[in-house]
Amino acid sequence: MSRVRVLAGVVAAIVGLPVVAACGPKDETPASYRPASLAPLPSAVAALPGYGHVRKVVLTPLAEQRLRVRTVTVAPGAGGETEAPITAVIYDPDGVPWVYVPDGGHAYTRHAITIARYDGDTVVLGAGPKAGTAVVVVGAAELLGTEYGVGEE
């Protein structure tokens, strides 16, 4: 009788495995869900050299949560310089360094920077956001990918 129980258990396990595997968490995001949109910059900013192709990235609250976007404040350096974490710096396809700055709500705008020097995990900015400005340190690469349409069909 015990062999019958073992055999029945094995059969139940084999048949039940696909059923249990299909019971995991579901992604309930509708197929038409757009996690982000692009908005034009104000004409005065868009007219600046190098900003002609820059767009404001506007995330949905869910997209922002999933990306786990985090910011830190740009700090004043020792000699009046401005310092930012190296994790805030992203490079466009031409190798130009930028940072993303929150632009109210769930919007982020890319700002050009120049790097005076690297100091460990910090960069000293020759030009860029002023001290006290928040910059994105987690999620910047995804924002750049959204702006450039990486991963879209």
Side-chain angles (χ1 to χ4, degrees), residues 4-18:
V4 172
R5 287 186 185 170
V6 169
L7 183 58
V10 170
V11 170
I14 292 172
V15 171
L17 185 61

Side-chain angles (χ1 to χ4, degrees), residues 50-115:
Y51 279 82
H53 63 282
V54 175
R55 302 288 176 263
K56 184 184 305 190
V57 179
V58 183
L59 300 175
T60 63
L62 179 59
E64 192 171 48
Q65 176 187 3
R66 286 183 174 175
L67 286 179
R68 297 186 175 148
V69 175
R70 297 291 177 260
T71 62
V72 298
T73 304
V74 174
E81 301 165 319
T82 307
E83 297 178 347
I86 199 165
T87 54
V89 180
I90 55 165
Y91 296 88
D92 70 13
D94 295 323
V96 177
W98 301 80
V99 294
Y100 274 97
V101 174
D103 200 12
H106 304 284
Y108 299 87
T109 302
R110 192 162 38 112
H111 288 257
I113 62 169
T114 59
I115 298 173

Side-chain angles (χ1 to χ4, degrees), residues 29-42:
T29 305
S32 63
Y33 175 73
R34 302 287 295 161
S37 60
L38 299 177
L41 295 179

